[in-house]
Amino acid sequence: MTRTAKLLLAASAVVAALALANPQGGYQLVAEACDEESATYQIVDPDGSPVNLPEEVSENLDCAYGVDLAPGGRFLLYPSFDADGRETLHVFDLALGGETDRATLPPAELDALGYAWSEEPIRFAFAPADRLYPQFYRVFVYQISEEGRLLPVGVYDLRLKLAESGEALAGESFYLADAYTLMWRTWREYEDEPAGPDTLQMLKLPPDRP
């Protein structure tokens, strides 16, 4: 099962239950499978009513991937492409109804994005499969400020143990134990192949960004 398929299964479960307000009173993401590689997303408010988003946002939620809500349900993350094919990650503040920041993403062989989250402060890690790194994956870690700004925490080249799908899967190949600890699965140094016995590694992340 691919990373996208796993995300879509989780999304289908959300659809079946249909998004009630979370304990923090934030917005929620509802997804419906579009095809094998993507889903169509909708935002519902704390009362469960659909949110009308600007067209430039909603068009990037139709048959899309890499869409997620930060913990607390206020900030929406989604990728988009420009006319030259460059990919950008956007942060949209659902409470204020406007974009707060964006970051250009590196060229990636795999388009699907999966995020590993932490709270207090809100941070996320993701690892697009850069063509320059057939075994090492470049893991990006960002912090989202209270104003919705993307604050770079660090970029790390790691030998990630792939999931059964053959992809570097957020939450399985790597995750954030807390806002200051990045965990990842790799294989033993003396093994030549990623199929060797795996081991769990830990990296301490820098303190809060101002």
Side-chain angles (χ1 to χ4, degrees):
M1 181 181 292
T2 67
R3 168 170 55 188
T4 303
K6 289 184 177 181
L7 292 173
L8 292 179
L9 282 176
S12 298
V14 175
V15 172
L18 199 107
L20 298 175
N22 66 32
Q24 295 173 301
Y27 296 82
Q28 288 215 354
L29 190 65
V30 177
E32 183 176 357
C34 177
D35 55 35
E36 293 183 356
E37 298 296 330
S38 60
T40 294
Y41 296 88
Q42 184 180 55
I43 304 297
V44 296
D45 65 19
D47 296 323
S49 301
V51 175
N52 291 322
L53 297 170
E55 183 177 355
E56 64 269 20
V57 177
S58 60
E59 67 185 7
N60 284 293
L61 306 186
D62 187 22
C63 287
Y65 64 87
V67 178
D68 206 354
L69 286 182
R74 174 182 170 186
F75 296 112
L76 170 69
L77 270 67
Y78 67 90
S80 69
F81 292 89
D82 65 15
D84 296 322
R86 289 186 294 265
E87 193 171 11
T88 303
L89 182 63
H90 300 257
V91 181
F92 186 87
D93 188 333
L94 293 165
L96 299 179
E99 183 175 297
T100 56
D101 208 353
R102 63 178 65 182
T104 300
L105 299 179
E109 188 169 334
L110 296 178
D111 288 334
L113 288 176
Y115 307 99
W117 291 99
S118 72
E119 300 182 50
E120 298 180 2
I122 296 175
R123 287 182 169 182
F124 65 93
F126 65 99
D130 193 320
R131 294 186 182 91
L132 299 177
Y133 296 87
Q135 290 187 343
F136 283 78
Y137 285 79
R138 182 156 285 181
V139 178
F140 296 80
V141 182
Y142 281 90
Q143 182 170 321
I144 302 180
S145 73
E146 294 182 0
E147 298 77 25
R149 305 294 296 177
L150 286 172
L151 307 175
V153 173
V155 181
Y156 309 96
D157 289 347
L158 305 175
R159 293 197 310 171
L160 295 180
K161 181 83 171 183
L162 303 183
E164 293 182 2
S165 62
E167 298 170 346
L169 186 63
E172 187 170 335
S173 299
F174 64 97
Y175 62 93
L176 292 172
D178 54 47
Y180 312 103
T181 310
L182 174 64
M183 309 292 295
W184 79 95
R185 298 189 182 281
T186 186
W187 59 96
R188 295 177 183 173
E189 291 289 340
Y190 57 80
E191 295 286 348
D192 293 331
E193 298 293 335
D198 65 334
T199 181
L200 191 62
Q201 298 290 322
M202 179 180 70
L203 177 68
K204 298 306 291 184
L205 299 174
D208 293 1
R209 290 293 312 273

